[in-house]
């Protein structure tokens, strides 16, 4: 029997229409376009303005985009993994609802939460299910409505995040393409530096927690930045060494889009030329679980079968890692 590897065979994406630019943010908080651009690389981000629509709406649109482009039957999807940090509800799984809404009624589904590393961890999980031989089509969706947890009076966070969704389909491959290696890590020290304090079992929702804005995301920016730069770069460098890859062997770096300076530091450690580093942070900001698939969708036309792609991410928790994947198709 030939060895099964797990390859990405299709991608899809969705971002809301409303654009929140740096110029608009200048009217909301004490900041300016130059300051934001210099420190983050972000020019604008997309926001889902409809208060009655949650992360599931974004995810459904991205999944439908993939299904339409790949011309696949949703009934053939075996499994849906929903990577998100902003589930519709605390208990009822967003992934389960999304699977039903897109017609994947033969699939089982669940949510996966590892903050900004959710999609990266989801790639590992999806690949493992495919490599087991039990499943043929695993749909991995990364989606977040970050505007639902951002305090737009807090200039430390409101300039960073946006809303969006992306999706990829994993299928078996017998040519040695797809996911080759992974290095995933976590460290609970990060719990204090990037979090939503209330709304969980530790600090349940009360009138006081709402009044104190404890249901919005807060972060110690300097500490998070320091850990992110070090760990994302370390993980990416390690995955190269472990697979005997040089900078010449790497076709593309697909990094989490949190901050251009973090991306630049990772690329520098890998000694990659700028043309190999894929970024769309200026258009979308940090969409958390959606950044990696949004990059794949935006640059899919540039990928060639056999390309060596390095993925890297860092998120709250702390969570981080790197994945080495060989691209499996040329876009038609």
């Amino acid at each position: 029997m030939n060895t099964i590897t797990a390859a990405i065979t299709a991608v899809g994406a969705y971002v809301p229409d409303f654009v929140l630019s740096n110029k608009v943010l200048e009217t909301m908080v004490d900041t300016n376009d130059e300051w934001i651009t210099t420190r983050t690389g972000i020019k604008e981000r997309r926001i889902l303005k409809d208060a009655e629509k949650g992360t599931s709406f974004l995810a459904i649109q991205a999944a439908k985009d993939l299904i339409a482009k790949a011309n696949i039957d949703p009934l053939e999807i075996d499994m849906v993994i929903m990577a998100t940090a902003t589930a519709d509800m605390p208990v009822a799984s967003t992934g389960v609802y999304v699977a039903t809404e897109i017609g994947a009624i033969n699939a089982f589904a669940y949510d996966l939460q590892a903050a900004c590393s959710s999609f990266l961890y989801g790639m590992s999980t999806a690949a493992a299910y495919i490599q087991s031989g039990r499943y043929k089509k695993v749909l991995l969706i990364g989606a977040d409505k970050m505007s639902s947890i951002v305090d737009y009076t807090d200039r430390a966070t409101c300039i960073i995040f946006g809303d969006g969704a992306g999706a990829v389909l994993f299928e078996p491959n017998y040519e040695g393409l797809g996911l080759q290696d992974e290095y995933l890590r976590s460290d609970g020290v990060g719990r204090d530096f990037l979090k939503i304090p209330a709304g969980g079992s530790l600090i349940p929702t009360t009138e006081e927690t709402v009044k104190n804005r404890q249901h919005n995301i807060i972060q110690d920016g300097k500490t998070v930045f320091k850990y992110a730069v070090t760990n994302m770069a370390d993980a990416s460098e390690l995955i190269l060494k472990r697979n005997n890859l040089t900078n010449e062997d790497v076709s593309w770096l697909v990094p989490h889009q949190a901050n251009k300076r973090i991306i630049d530091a990772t690329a520098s450690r890998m000694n990659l030329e700028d043309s190999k580093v894929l970024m769309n942070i200026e258009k979308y900001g940090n969409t958390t679980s959606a950044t990696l698939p949004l990059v794949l969708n935006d640059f899919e036309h540039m990928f060639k079968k056999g390309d060596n792609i390095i993925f890297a991410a860092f998120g709250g928790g702390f969570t981080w890692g790197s994945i080495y994947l060989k691209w499996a198709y040329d876009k038609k």
Side-chain angles (χ1 to χ4, degrees):
M1 181 178 175
N2 292 334
T3 301
I4 301 172
T5 53
I8 292 174
T9 58
V11 301
Y14 175 80
V15 291
D17 293 330
F18 182 81
V19 176
L20 178 59
S21 67
N22 291 348
K23 289 295 184 183
V24 173
L25 278 174
E26 287 180 2
T27 69
M28 299 167 60
V29 289
D30 182 17
T31 191
N32 60 72
D33 174 65
E34 182 184 9
W35 192 93
I36 297 170
T37 304
T38 301
R39 286 162 178 76
T40 68
I42 301 168
K43 282 289 188 182
E44 56 190 39
R45 62 289 295 142
R46 301 297 185 96
I47 303 296
L48 182 59
K49 296 289 282 185
D50 192 335
E52 296 181 0
K53 293 177 179 176
T55 293
S56 61
F57 173 79
L58 301 168
I60 290 165
Q61 304 311 309
K64 286 181 175 179
D65 181 53
L66 181 150
I67 288 167
K69 288 196 299 188
N71 191 30
I72 65 169
D73 184 349
L75 296 176
E76 295 179 355
I77 298 172
D78 300 307
M79 178 183 181
V80 176
I81 302 173
M82 179 76 224
T84 185
T86 55
D88 283 4
M89 303 176 187
V91 175
S93 168
T94 303
V96 170
Y97 176 71
V98 169
T100 299
E101 289 298 299
I102 64 174
I105 58 174
N106 293 321
F108 74 102
Y110 60 81
D111 295 353
L112 188 158
Q113 209 279 70
C116 291
S117 300
S118 296
F119 192 86
L120 191 78
Y121 280 24
M123 289 176 67
S124 170
T125 306
Y129 277 107
I130 291 292
Q131 289 164 355
S132 75
R134 293 182 182 181
Y135 306 99
K136 303 297 184 185
K137 285 182 168 60
V138 176
L139 180 64
L140 170 62
I141 306 170
D144 273 303
K145 185 182 178 183
M146 294 303 293
S147 61
S148 67
I149 58 173
V150 166
D151 177 359
Y152 284 95
T153 67
D154 175 14
R155 68 175 184 171
T157 55
C158 74
I159 65 169
I160 298 169
F161 296 103
D163 302 338
V168 302
L169 184 69
F170 274 92
E171 293 186 275
N173 183 276
Y174 300 95
E175 301 176 86
L177 303 172
L179 198 147
Q180 305 294 307
D181 195 14
E182 63 182 48
Y183 177 78
L184 305 176
R185 289 294 182 270
S186 60
D187 187 342
V189 70
R191 181 176 165 114
D192 293 330
F193 302 114
L194 179 56
K195 61 184 177 180
I196 296 175
S201 61
L202 189 64
I203 306 176
T205 304
T206 64
E207 185 177 343
E208 186 177 356
T209 63
V210 174
K211 191 180 299 181
N212 293 335
R213 298 179 182 270
Q214 290 176 271
H215 298 270
N216 296 120
I217 191 168
I218 59 172
Q219 71 168 352
D220 177 341
K222 289 183 179 179
T223 302
V224 173
F225 180 85
K226 180 183 72 174
Y227 274 91
V229 166
T230 301
N231 288 312
M232 229 169 96
D234 284 352
S236 301
E237 184 180 39
L238 185 145
I239 210 86
L240 292 187
K241 289 180 177 178
R242 200 157 74 180
N243 291 277
N244 297 313
L245 297 172
T246 69
N247 60 326
E248 295 296 325
D249 298 319
V250 176
S251 306
W252 311 103
L253 172 65
V254 177
H256 172 51
Q257 309 287 300
N259 184 303
K260 187 177 182 297
R261 291 187 294 168
I262 297 173
I263 296 171
D264 289 343
T266 301
S268 176
R269 182 77 70 82
M270 297 169 69
N271 198 25
L272 287 184
E273 54 192 70
D274 291 345
S275 61
K276 292 184 175 184
V277 183
L278 303 183
M279 282 189 279
N280 56 14
I281 190 171
E282 72 282 354
K283 295 192 297 181
Y284 307 132
N286 183 353
T287 54
T288 306
S289 307
T291 64
L292 297 182
L294 282 176
V295 170
L296 291 181
N297 187 75
D298 280 1
F299 294 96
E300 181 192 18
H301 64 283
M302 294 168 55
F303 301 155
K304 301 299 181 186
K305 185 176 179 179
D307 277 358
N308 291 322
I309 302 179
I310 303 297
F311 294 81
F314 181 88
F318 291 128
T319 58
W320 70 92
S322 182
I323 282 177
Y324 165 35
L325 176 138
K326 280 186 174 291
W327 196 249
Y329 64 94
D330 297 319
K331 187 178 179 184
K332 296 176 183 178

